[in-house]
Amino acid sequence: MGINLPGPYLTVYLVNSGISLPLIALSLSVNKVISFAVNYPGGVIADRAGRIKSYAVGAITFSISMLLLFMKPTPHIVLLYAILSGVGFAFMSGTREAWLIDRYYSNKRKHSPPFDIIPIWRSLHAVASATSGLIASIVTMTVGVRYVFPLAGLLVLSSVIMFLTLPDNRGAIRTIQILRTTLRTLKERAFLGLLMYSTLTSSAMIISFIIPPLILTTRGLDEGLLGLIYTLFYISMALGSALASRVARRIHPLHYLLAYNLLVFVIYIAVASLGSLEPTILLFILVELLLGIYNVVFIHVRNAVKPSGARASMISLMELSGSLAITIMAPLITSWGITFTLIASGLVTLLAIPSLILTQSKFYCLLAIQRIRKS
């Protein structure tokens, strides 16, 4: 909840504090450079020392970055926030997913849980995000938007306390085993295809993340209502996650991933062409619904190719690749304005499609769908 609390307000808050959009994009790039440097080592540490321990380190660092934003934002404060939050996200990256998969889907367990566990997790995640949007809106309208950020830090710290009460798990015992598993997996053509697909798709989603608040406010939405609108977005995502099981049983995962990218491209172009507020909100709600389904389907697909001994490391590697792409693209795309950024994000999402079509990823998608049907 705490991680998503600043979401609808961060960009608007920084712009209203005198921070330019190119500088915001630069801070995003710095954030991703730091993630690029720390992400994979953080994943190795999580596999080696424990996923929950790695999450705790990342959560504490992220909370400190939130407290910085409570201060009057200056270029130096924004860049320091970007560095600390980048380290925090890098250590949290993939830890919860890796912990969940190995906790409930481990080969050592006699019975695997039903496919519904991941949709439930993603649905609860989206509901928490929706609640955070509502809380952010209330805080903004009562005491001011700057108080959203220390509250986010406190909520993330409280999650550490709850997480530490759970039994931890880890991957390979030795670091060299994790590195060898990573190198072996990188030689597989199918994994490289998924890596490229994930890189382009996730980078486009993150780039476009800073744009919706600005589009909605410039098209007439009151700033105080952003939290409520984002609550609707997250509820739509939760609904999508809840529907993912039914969708995955009727549509091949590879086909849904292809359809998702194509539909997001069309929606982004439609949003860029519109000028009114209401249709824009409805289209963003549709994107969140599709994203909720996508998150669940892709989690199953990518974990079908990741060995348990290096699961957190491989998830972090995908995050690292996305960070590198964002570092390169974000300042270039956002410097041309809001509309161009939205269109470019749609095009990047579209360009991710060939990486699935031209590889043998379908084989691993079949493994995922067989697991779903058995459950």
Side-chain angles (χ1 to χ4, degrees), residues 268-287:
Y268 281 176
I269 297 301
V271 170
S273 304
L274 293 173
S276 54
L277 178 62
E278 291 78 8
T280 302
I281 294 175
L282 291 176
L283 287 174
F284 280 141
I285 288 175
L286 178 59
V287 169

Side-chain angles (χ1 to χ4, degrees), residues 174-368:
R174 300 173 58 191
T175 303
I176 191 63
Q177 291 177 295
I178 299 173
L179 297 177
R180 286 174 178 172
T181 301
T182 301
L183 292 175
R184 185 170 62 249
T185 307
L186 282 173
K187 295 178 181 179
E188 299 176 2
R189 183 182 175 188
F191 178 80
L192 291 177
L194 285 176
L195 180 65
M196 179 62 67
Y197 170 81
S198 173
T199 298
L200 294 175
T201 302
S202 61
S203 63
M205 285 191 293
I206 295 176
I207 290 173
S208 61
F209 177 75
I210 66 174
I211 299 302
L214 297 177
I215 291 179
L216 294 175
T217 52
T218 55
R219 293 183 180 179
L221 182 69
D222 184 85
E223 181 180 321
L225 296 177
L226 273 174
L228 294 176
I229 294 300
Y230 266 71
T231 297
L232 294 178
F233 290 170
Y234 291 132
I235 290 175
S236 179
M237 185 188 298
L239 179 61
S241 297
L243 294 174
S245 297
R246 296 183 180 181
V247 172
R249 289 188 179 99
R250 290 167 174 78
I251 302 176
H252 193 286
L254 177 63
H255 296 163
Y256 178 78
L257 295 180
L258 295 175
Y260 168 81
N261 286 58
L262 181 60
L263 287 172
V264 167
F265 167 73
V266 173
I267 292 172
Y268 281 176
I269 297 301
V271 170
S273 304
L274 293 173
S276 54
L277 178 62
E278 291 78 8
T280 302
I281 294 175
L282 291 176
L283 287 174
F284 280 141
I285 288 175
L286 178 59
V287 169
E288 296 298 327
L289 177 70
L290 296 172
L291 180 60
I293 302 173
Y294 165 87
N295 286 333
V296 174
V297 172
F298 190 67
I299 283 174
H300 273 274
V301 171
R302 72 181 182 181
N303 277 285
V305 305
K306 293 173 184 174
S308 174
R311 193 178 305 280
S313 304
M314 302 308 295
I315 294 174
S316 296
L317 185 62
M318 282 192 168
E319 299 290 341
L320 184 152
S321 182
S323 299
L324 178 60
I326 294 168
T327 301
I328 298 172
M329 292 190 297
L332 298 176
I333 293 178
T334 55
S335 62
W336 291 88
I338 295 175
T339 302
F340 180 83
T341 301
L342 197 60
I343 295 174
S345 298
L347 289 173
V348 172
T349 304
L350 191 66
L351 290 174
I353 292 178
S355 61
L356 281 181
I357 296 177
L358 299 178
T359 64
Q360 298 175 355
S361 303
K362 185 175 181 179
F363 169 74
Y364 291 101
C365 291
L366 284 172
L367 293 181

Side-chain angles (χ1 to χ4, degrees), residues 71-100:
M71 304 167 61
K72 176 65 177 177
T74 65
H76 295 92
I77 291 293
V78 172
L79 291 176
L80 183 57
Y81 148 78
I83 293 171
L84 291 178
S85 62
V87 173
F89 276 122
F91 271 91
M92 290 188 289
S93 173
T95 54
R96 289 167 295 177
E97 180 182 328
W99 178 87
L100 181 70

